[in-house]
Amino acid sequence: MKYFSTRGGEIELSFEETVLTGLAPNGGLYIPAEIPLLPEDWEEKWSSYTFQQLSVAVLSLYISPSEISTQELSDLVEKSYKTFRHTDVTPLKRLDGSLGERHILELWHGPTYAFKDVALQLLGNIFEFFLQRQNAKKGAGEQRERLTVLGATSGDTGSAAIYGLRNKADIAIYILHPKGRVSPIQEAQMTTVTDSNVHNIAVKGTFDDCQASSLAFDIVKTLFSDQAFNAQHHLGAINSINWARILAQTVYYFLAYFSLRRTMGVPLIQFVVPTGNFGDVLAGYYAKRMGLPVENFVIATNENDILARFWKSGKYEKISSDVGPEETVPADGASDGKQAGGVKETLSPAMDILISSNFERLLWYLAYEDAANDRQIACATVNGWMDKMKSDGRVSVPVSVLEAARKDFVAERISDSQTLQSIRDTFDESKYVADPHTAVGIAAAKVVAGHRWAKDKGPSQEVVQIILSTAHPAKFSEAVTTALHDAAAFSFEKDVLPDDFKGLLKMERRVIDVENSVDAVKKVINDRAP
């Protein structure tokens, strides 16, 4: 299996080269040269597989055994998930309630209590595996291969990446986060890791300021595109621009399917995914393209709704051109008013973005289909769209492309007030405590189910909804306690707070404050390079 950039070029990379490179030099994202189909006997053969066994089976379709043997891949997978707190790794739980069958896929049983552990525990071990193999071939006195991992986060990516890479030989990790814009628990999870190879950088600004300079460039992407800087430090990506993250996340869609199949036969499944950067739902799209039976996907966004607006209009734009800038009344525990640069600060901060960094991969497949499966035309089209997005902050796709996007996806926008109500309703109906991102997904699921109920003139039992739960509720205590402050028999410390979080806010921290500029971040990395 080879990989190429969504923006074209003749170069195709191996899996190892793709993982270690992260972002293509032309600014594109790497995708597989083809999406493999599932084996003919996959449903029977894989039906009783554990998460770890499914990981090996799925990943093997994308990784040549000449790069990572089946035994080596199995060892990497076992090492990556042995620290997860649940034997199923990502367990499926049924929710009580109306409007049809609904389940929660809990993705937060890893070391940092967030879904990103699923991919980043594995990615950290893959980084280490490739570096160790390269350095084992070095002669005495030869310079060792090193990797400088660079990423930006609005919370969970940073801590998950740090926990996946802390104390690994020949790897340094630099995580940018917006100063004052992550939850106290998220910030503490990152900055209390004091291993010598871990460097936390607090940037003054919003998440997209961490990912975009004043000229609308990504700080992270700009550094990856700086060939001299990249060559000097050998940059590696841990954000979902790295293909390995998307690949790792496809596995829990298969696990959810088999978990449901054992209890319900073979129902039609609709996955509901709270998302900002589109990586989590894109993993499901790949699973469906491989052959996993999925009815469609619901994209659940908060008030930073670039994705929901695209599915309604076909316009991919930072700020809506249809109406004036929207001012909203702040909900308790958040400031929903218009923020600098158009980003709205919400109760679900991991989705507080202007540009959806993984959406380019889906756009490529839509362009490819629209171009009658001509790869060269698709790359040129995407390159043009991204250039226009960079220069104008918006681009419109043809009606045929929008119609193709609507075949597999619907999108709903959920406000902070709806998020709080969703947390409360879910607790009242099911005694289940949802974090605000999961609550966005639950609220969107109800909206979509309600539309289907009205259309069918009654409940539809054919479609079963699976909502991806992306974080433990303790990571967002303010939103949860605001929603449930007067709920009978609810205690945050007793019902929600894990022992791992107790005392975390009082631990020693290490963080570097910088201004929002590429040069400031460069200086931090240059000053600490070996």
Side-chain angles (χ1 to χ4, degrees):
M1 177 69 74
K2 295 293 185 179
Y3 298 85
F4 66 93
S5 169
T6 51
R7 301 189 191 182
E10 298 301 319
I11 297 175
E12 290 191 343
L13 304 185
S14 66
F15 178 76
E16 178 176 355
E17 292 167 331
T18 300
V19 170
L20 292 179
T21 303
L23 184 72
N26 62 9
L29 305 182
Y30 287 112
I31 57 176
E34 60 181 352
I35 299 176
L37 297 177
L38 298 172
E40 288 187 6
D41 60 348
W42 73 276
E43 282 193 280
E44 179 181 351
K45 187 175 181 180
W46 297 3
S47 61
S48 60
Y49 276 12
T50 64
F51 183 94
Q52 291 86 338
Q53 290 170 322
L54 283 172
S55 291
V56 174
V58 173
L59 270 59
S60 294
L61 300 176
Y62 291 88
I63 305 171
S64 169
S66 64
E67 292 196 74
I68 304 178
S69 71
T70 302
Q71 185 58 55
E72 288 170 333
L73 183 58
S74 180
D75 292 343
L76 285 168
V77 166
E78 290 295 332
K79 180 180 179 181
S80 299
Y81 300 118
K82 68 180 181 181
T83 59
F84 278 60
R85 295 178 303 280
H86 198 287
T87 54
D88 291 341
V89 181
T90 58
L92 189 70
K93 295 187 177 180
R94 187 183 186 279
L95 276 186
D96 296 324
S98 58
L99 298 181
E101 190 81 17
R102 191 170 294 122
H103 296 254
I104 293 285
L105 184 61
E106 292 183 342
L107 307 178
W108 40 259
H109 290 276
T112 71
Y113 294 77
F115 84 96
K116 294 174 182 180
D117 287 323
V118 175
L120 287 168
Q121 284 292 306
L122 179 63
L123 180 57
N125 287 321
I126 289 175
F127 278 155
E128 183 181 50
F129 172 83
F130 285 142
L131 282 179
Q132 285 180 345
R133 186 166 67 184
Q134 290 177 8
N135 285 324
K137 300 175 183 177
K138 298 283 185 181
E142 284 190 86
Q143 185 175 353
R144 295 178 65 81
E145 296 292 336
R146 299 181 185 275
L147 190 66
T148 301
V149 175
L150 179 65
T153 185
S154 59
D156 286 334
T157 294
S159 56
I162 287 167
Y163 276 66
L165 290 170
R166 63 188 301 181
N167 203 31
K168 289 194 181 295
D170 301 312
I171 299 175
I173 178 169
Y174 293 83
I175 295 295
L176 284 64
H177 73 268
K179 186 175 178 63
R181 274 292 295 120
V182 297
S183 78
I185 288 292
Q186 288 174 319
E187 183 178 359
Q189 282 186 311
M190 291 188 289
T191 59
T192 57
V193 178
T194 57
D195 299 65
S196 61
N197 72 322
V198 174
H199 308 280
N200 282 286
I201 302 174
V203 183
K204 297 176 183 178
T206 62
F207 177 59
D208 269 7
D209 289 327
C210 274
Q211 286 200 330
S213 70
S214 60
L215 298 175
F217 286 97
D218 240 29
I219 286 182
V220 170
K221 285 187 176 182
T222 299
L223 292 177
F224 273 99
S225 299
D226 185 329
Q227 294 185 15
F229 187 81
N230 199 332
Q232 178 186 356
H233 295 285
H234 192 181
L235 299 183
I238 49 81
N239 285 91
S240 54
I241 58 175
N242 194 307
W243 163 250
R245 276 193 55 180
I246 304 301
L247 179 57
Q249 290 170 196
T250 62
V251 177
Y252 44 69
Y253 286 92
F254 287 91
L255 186 78
Y257 170 77
F258 283 118
S259 296
L260 206 58
R261 187 169 176 259
R262 282 191 285 271
T263 59
M264 298 186 64
V266 188
L268 292 177
I269 299 175
Q270 180 181 71
F271 284 100
V272 185
V273 188
T275 189
N277 277 318
F278 203 74
D280 210 6
V281 71
L282 181 68
Y285 174 77
Y286 276 106
K288 182 178 182 182
R289 289 285 301 267
M290 293 167 66
L292 184 70
V294 179
E295 180 70 5
N296 65 357
F297 300 91
V298 178
I299 299 163
T301 79
N302 62 20
E303 297 188 48
N304 296 290
D305 59 351
I306 184 171
L307 293 172
R309 285 186 280 113
F310 172 83
W311 259 270
K312 285 179 172 57
S313 68
K315 298 175 183 177
Y316 186 54
E317 49 189 3
K318 292 182 181 180
I319 300 174
S320 175
S321 59
D322 296 331
V323 295
E326 181 183 357
E327 300 286 348
T328 58
V329 178
D332 291 336
S335 169
D336 287 352
K338 186 177 180 294
Q339 304 296 311
V343 177
K344 294 182 179 180
E345 187 178 345
T346 75
L347 292 170
S348 46
M351 299 189 288
D352 288 354
I353 53 89
L354 274 182
I355 299 174
S356 186
S357 60
N358 252 294
F359 189 51
E360 182 173 336
R361 284 184 166 114
L362 178 68
L363 286 176
W364 188 90
Y365 289 105
L366 297 175
Y368 183 66
E369 180 180 333
D370 201 55
N373 298 343
D374 188 306
R375 173 170 147 180
Q376 196 169 16
I377 293 176
C379 290
T381 300
V382 169
N383 197 30
W385 286 342
M386 293 300 101
D387 281 347
K388 191 168 181 58
M389 190 68 181
K390 176 180 170 181
S391 62
D392 301 344
R394 57 175 52 91
V395 65
S396 296
V397 302
V399 172
S400 56
V401 171
L402 177 60
E403 289 176 347
R406 287 173 172 170
K407 292 177 184 177
D408 291 311
F409 301 91
V410 296
E412 291 292 338
R413 173 189 189 271
I414 302 299
S415 68
D416 267 357
S417 59
Q418 289 174 295
T419 301
L420 290 173
Q421 190 62 51
S422 178
I423 294 172
R424 182 55 184 263
D425 290 346
T426 303
F427 182 78
D428 289 343
E429 293 172 0
S430 306
K431 293 298 179 283
Y432 188 89
V433 181
D435 90 287
H437 304 81
T438 304
V440 167
I442 295 171
K446 287 185 175 181
V447 171
V448 172
H451 291 334
R452 190 170 63 247
W453 183 306
K455 179 182 177 182
D456 297 341
K457 311 245 186 295
S460 173
Q461 298 299 325
E462 291 81 16
V463 178
V464 177
Q465 292 180 315
I466 297 178
I467 300 112
L468 273 59
S469 178
T470 57
H472 191 286
K475 302 193 81 167
F476 303 94
S477 58
E478 190 171 2
V480 172
T481 54
T482 296
L484 301 178
H485 69 280
D486 61 347
F490 171 75
S491 167
F492 183 81
E493 289 203 4
K494 177 174 172 286
D495 299 331
V496 177
L497 191 65
D499 290 340
D500 291 349
F501 288 5
K502 295 175 182 176
L504 185 63
L505 298 178
K506 298 178 181 179
M507 293 175 62
E508 175 192 355
R509 303 188 188 201
R510 193 176 70 202
V511 62
I512 307 156
D513 289 350
V514 301
E515 296 296 327
N516 173 30
S517 79
V518 172
D519 287 341
V521 176
K522 270 188 175 182
K523 186 176 187 306
V524 170
I525 297 173
N526 284 330
D527 288 349
R528 288 157 181 79

Short mmCIF file of all heavy atoms in Angstrom, two decimals, residues 363-374 377-378 381 385 398-402 404:
data_model
loop_
_atom_site.label_atom_id
_atom_site.label_comp_id
_atom_site.label_asym_id
_atom_site.label_seq_id
_atom_site.Cartn_x
_atom_site.Cartn_y
_atom_site.Cartn_z
N LEU A 363 -13.05 15.88 0.85
CA LEU A 363 -13.20 16.66 -0.37
C LEU A 363 -12.49 15.98 -1.54
O LEU A 363 -12.98 16.03 -2.68
CB LEU A 363 -12.65 18.08 -0.16
CG LEU A 363 -13.51 19.03 0.67
CD1 LEU A 363 -12.78 20.35 0.87
CD2 LEU A 363 -14.87 19.26 0.03
N TRP A 364 -11.36 15.35 -1.26
CA TRP A 364 -10.66 14.67 -2.35
C TRP A 364 -11.52 13.54 -2.92
O TRP A 364 -11.64 13.41 -4.15
CB TRP A 364 -9.32 14.11 -1.89
CG TRP A 364 -8.52 13.58 -3.04
CD1 TRP A 364 -7.63 14.26 -3.82
CD2 TRP A 364 -8.62 12.25 -3.62
NE1 TRP A 364 -7.15 13.46 -4.83
CE2 TRP A 364 -7.74 12.23 -4.74
CE3 TRP A 364 -9.35 11.11 -3.30
CZ2 TRP A 364 -7.58 11.09 -5.53
CZ3 TRP A 364 -9.20 9.98 -4.10
CH2 TRP A 364 -8.32 9.97 -5.19
N TYR A 365 -12.13 12.74 -2.06
CA TYR A 365 -12.94 11.63 -2.55
C TYR A 365 -14.18 12.13 -3.30
O TYR A 365 -14.60 11.53 -4.30
CB TYR A 365 -13.35 10.71 -1.39
CG TYR A 365 -12.17 9.91 -0.86
CD1 TYR A 365 -11.57 10.25 0.35
CD2 TYR A 365 -11.63 8.86 -1.59
CE1 TYR A 365 -10.47 9.55 0.83
CE2 TYR A 365 -10.53 8.16 -1.12
CZ TYR A 365 -9.95 8.50 0.09
OH TYR A 365 -8.86 7.81 0.55
N LEU A 366 -14.73 13.25 -2.84
CA LEU A 366 -15.88 13.83 -3.55
C LEU A 366 -15.45 14.35 -4.91
O LEU A 366 -16.16 14.17 -5.91
CB LEU A 366 -16.49 14.95 -2.70
CG LEU A 366 -17.07 14.53 -1.34
CD1 LEU A 366 -17.53 15.76 -0.56
CD2 LEU A 366 -18.24 13.56 -1.51
N ALA A 367 -14.28 15.00 -4.96
CA ALA A 367 -13.76 15.50 -6.24
C ALA A 367 -13.42 14.35 -7.18
O ALA A 367 -13.64 14.43 -8.40
CB ALA A 367 -12.53 16.38 -6.00
N TYR A 368 -12.89 13.28 -6.63
CA TYR A 368 -12.52 12.09 -7.41
C TYR A 368 -13.75 11.48 -8.07
O TYR A 368 -13.74 11.14 -9.26
CB TYR A 368 -11.83 11.10 -6.49
CG TYR A 368 -11.32 9.84 -7.15
CD1 TYR A 368 -10.28 9.88 -8.07
CD2 TYR A 368 -11.85 8.59 -6.81
CE1 TYR A 368 -9.80 8.71 -8.65
CE2 TYR A 368 -11.38 7.42 -7.37
CZ TYR A 368 -10.35 7.49 -8.31
OH TYR A 368 -9.88 6.32 -8.88
N GLU A 369 -14.83 11.37 -7.31
CA GLU A 369 -16.07 10.82 -7.85
C GLU A 369 -16.64 11.76 -8.91
O GLU A 369 -17.12 11.32 -9.96
CB GLU A 369 -17.09 10.62 -6.72
CG GLU A 369 -18.42 10.07 -7.17
CD GLU A 369 -19.40 9.89 -6.02
OE1 GLU A 369 -18.94 9.69 -4.87
OE2 GLU A 369 -20.62 9.96 -6.26
N ASP A 370 -16.56 13.06 -8.66
CA ASP A 370 -17.10 14.04 -9.59
C ASP A 370 -16.29 14.09 -10.88
O ASP A 370 -16.81 14.48 -11.94
CB ASP A 370 -17.12 15.43 -8.92
CG ASP A 370 -18.10 16.38 -9.57
OD1 ASP A 370 -19.29 16.02 -9.68
OD2 ASP A 370 -17.67 17.47 -9.99
N ALA A 371 -15.01 13.70 -10.79
CA ALA A 371 -14.12 13.71 -11.97
C ALA A 371 -14.05 12.35 -12.63
O ALA A 371 -13.08 12.05 -13.35
CB ALA A 371 -12.73 14.17 -11.56
N ALA A 372 -15.07 11.51 -12.41
CA ALA A 372 -15.11 10.17 -13.02
C ALA A 372 -13.87 9.36 -12.67
O ALA A 372 -13.28 8.68 -13.51
CB ALA A 372 -15.29 10.27 -14.53
N ASN A 373 -13.47 9.45 -11.39
CA ASN A 373 -12.36 8.66 -10.85
C ASN A 373 -11.02 8.98 -11.50
O ASN A 373 -10.18 8.09 -11.69
CB ASN A 373 -12.65 7.16 -10.94
CG ASN A 373 -13.87 6.76 -10.14
OD1 ASN A 373 -14.32 7.50 -9.28
ND2 ASN A 373 -14.39 5.58 -10.41
N ASP A 374 -10.82 10.23 -11.83
CA ASP A 374 -9.54 10.69 -12.37
C ASP A 374 -8.74 11.31 -11.23
O ASP A 374 -9.07 12.41 -10.77
CB ASP A 374 -9.76 11.70 -13.50
CG ASP A 374 -8.46 12.05 -14.22
OD1 ASP A 374 -7.49 12.45 -13.54
OD2 ASP A 374 -8.43 11.95 -15.47
N ILE A 377 -7.13 14.90 -11.88
CA ILE A 377 -8.12 15.98 -11.86
C ILE A 377 -8.59 16.25 -10.43
O ILE A 377 -8.74 17.41 -10.02
CB ILE A 377 -9.32 15.64 -12.76
CG1 ILE A 377 -8.88 15.61 -14.23
CG2 ILE A 377 -10.45 16.65 -12.57
CD1 ILE A 377 -9.98 15.19 -15.19
N ALA A 378 -8.80 15.19 -9.66
CA ALA A 378 -9.24 15.35 -8.28
C ALA A 378 -8.22 16.13 -7.46
O ALA A 378 -8.58 17.03 -6.69
CB ALA A 378 -9.49 13.98 -7.64
N THR A 381 -8.29 19.75 -8.47
CA THR A 381 -9.50 20.39 -7.96
C THR A 381 -9.35 20.74 -6.49
O THR A 381 -9.66 21.86 -6.07
CB THR A 381 -10.71 19.46 -8.16
OG1 THR A 381 -10.88 19.19 -9.56
CG2 THR A 381 -11.98 20.11 -7.62
N TRP A 385 -9.39 24.35 -4.61
CA TRP A 385 -10.31 24.68 -3.50
C TRP A 385 -9.54 25.18 -2.28
O TRP A 385 -9.93 26.16 -1.65
CB TRP A 385 -11.12 23.45 -3.12
CG TRP A 385 -12.21 23.10 -4.09
CD1 TRP A 385 -12.76 23.90 -5.04
CD2 TRP A 385 -12.88 21.84 -4.19
NE1 TRP A 385 -13.74 23.23 -5.74
CE2 TRP A 385 -13.84 21.97 -5.24
CE3 TRP A 385 -12.78 20.63 -3.51
CZ2 TRP A 385 -14.67 20.91 -5.60
CZ3 TRP A 385 -13.61 19.57 -3.88
CH2 TRP A 385 -14.55 19.71 -4.92
N PRO A 398 -19.47 22.42 -6.45
CA PRO A 398 -20.61 22.20 -7.35
C PRO A 398 -21.73 21.42 -6.66
O PRO A 398 -21.50 20.67 -5.70
CB PRO A 398 -19.98 21.39 -8.49
CG PRO A 398 -18.52 21.66 -8.43
CD PRO A 398 -18.21 21.87 -6.98
N VAL A 399 -22.94 21.58 -7.19
CA VAL A 399 -24.10 20.88 -6.63
C VAL A 399 -23.88 19.37 -6.65
O VAL A 399 -24.26 18.67 -5.70
CB VAL A 399 -25.37 21.25 -7.43
CG1 VAL A 399 -26.55 20.38 -6.98
CG2 VAL A 399 -25.70 22.73 -7.25
N SER A 400 -23.25 18.87 -7.67
CA SER A 400 -23.01 17.42 -7.78
C SER A 400 -22.13 16.92 -6.63
O SER A 400 -22.32 15.81 -6.12
CB SER A 400 -22.36 17.08 -9.12
OG SER A 400 -21.15 17.82 -9.30
N VAL A 401 -21.17 17.74 -6.22
CA VAL A 401 -20.30 17.37 -5.10
C VAL A 401 -21.08 17.39 -3.79
O VAL A 401 -20.95 16.48 -2.95
CB VAL A 401 -19.09 18.33 -5.03
CG1 VAL A 401 -18.29 18.10 -3.75
CG2 VAL A 401 -18.19 18.13 -6.25
N LEU A 402 -21.91 18.41 -3.59
CA LEU A 402 -22.72 18.48 -2.38
C LEU A 402 -23.69 17.30 -2.30
O LEU A 402 -23.86 16.69 -1.22
CB LEU A 402 -23.49 19.79 -2.34
CG LEU A 402 -24.44 19.99 -1.16
CD1 LEU A 402 -23.68 19.94 0.16
CD2 LEU A 402 -25.20 21.32 -1.29
N ALA A 404 -23.29 14.38 -3.55
CA ALA A 404 -22.51 13.18 -3.22
C ALA A 404 -22.19 13.15 -1.73
O ALA A 404 -22.23 12.09 -1.09
CB ALA A 404 -21.22 13.15 -4.04
#
